[in-house]
Amino acid sequence: MSDYATLLIAIALVVVWIKPLGRYMAAVYLGRPHPLFRIFQRVELAIYLLCGVHSEKQMGWKSYGFCVLALGAFSFVLTLLMLLGQAYLPLNPQGFEGLPFHTAFNIAASFLTGTNWQSYHPETQLSYFSQTVGITVQQFLATATGMAIAASLCRAMASKQLHGIGNFWVDLVRGLVYIILPFA
């Protein structure tokens, strides 16, 4: 298949799916009933209960932004430490040593920001644990965080009376549970 045909197919798929997917995502972020609501609602509520999230509590932009930054800082440090200390973590049958600081920093920063720039060879430098728990989880969290920020911006622009822009943790969980994981 030529590049031109592939491009046309991709454009056709976007045109066909943009409206139903947009409606679905709007329903997810607005908390309205949608096709996967009945299936995953218990998972969503269990995550809120486990993490102590008050799903009905609205946040202002400062609280929302703080939560975004706090999650980013926490996941960055956790990924960095995981990569530095992978020799001591499970699922390392190849016996890989921890990465040099500059490489671990680069990997943690790039996957946190969603750029996913790879200056390493995962098969020869990262343990299975680092790849699955570190890198894969970061890819899902970075995507869900970006989607949550976009949802809050849409909510803020559409609102006449702004008492809050939503709840970051709710937006993050809904993006993961109802959009990213089912489509993955």
Side-chain angles (χ1 to χ4, degrees):
M1 187 178 303
S2 72
D3 290 340
Y4 184 69
T6 304
L7 178 63
L8 288 177
I9 291 171
I11 291 171
L13 286 174
V14 168
V15 168
V16 168
W17 278 101
I18 196 164
K19 203 162 196 167
L21 186 58
R23 283 185 179 148
Y24 173 73
M25 290 176 70
V28 166
Y29 285 113
L30 292 173
R32 295 181 181 150
H34 51 79
L36 297 180
F37 184 73
R38 287 180 140 182
I39 299 169
F40 293 118
Q41 181 188 20
R42 288 189 179 155
V43 174
E44 177 189 4
L45 296 175
I47 293 170
Y48 296 153
L49 184 64
L50 183 68
C51 297
V53 172
H54 301 287
S55 59
E56 66 286 340
K57 184 180 175 192
Q58 292 285 311
M59 294 179 170
W61 69 270
K62 290 179 184 177
S63 298
Y64 202 98
F66 176 79
C67 290
V68 169
L69 294 174
L71 176 65
F74 177 76
S75 61
F76 172 78
V77 169
L78 196 62
T79 303
L80 180 67
L81 293 174
M82 188 181 311
L83 296 171
L84 292 171
Q86 73 179 352
Y88 308 105
L89 296 172
L91 297 173
N92 189 5
Q94 300 92 339
F96 292 136
E97 292 295 318
L99 295 174
F101 181 80
H102 68 279
T103 305
F105 186 93
N106 183 307
I107 294 169
S110 73
F111 281 93
L112 168 72
T113 59
T115 54
N116 304 348
W117 185 68
Q118 297 183 7
S119 63
Y120 62 98
H121 301 283
E123 300 83 16
T124 60
Q125 291 180 290
L126 295 182
S127 69
Y128 297 140
F129 187 83
S130 295
Q131 288 183 50
T132 55
V133 176
I135 303 303
T136 305
V137 168
Q138 275 294 50
Q139 288 180 316
F140 279 81
L141 279 179
T143 304
T145 300
M147 290 170 50
I149 292 167
S152 71
L153 287 172
C154 290
R155 229 182 269 119
M157 286 188 276
S159 178
K160 300 254 189 256
Q161 296 176 329
L162 194 59
H163 298 292
I165 58 172
N167 185 315
F168 171 71
W169 304 112
V170 171
D171 291 343
L172 183 78
V173 169
R174 285 181 179 165
L176 283 168
V177 170
Y178 295 115
I179 300 169
I180 296 171
L181 290 175
F183 283 98

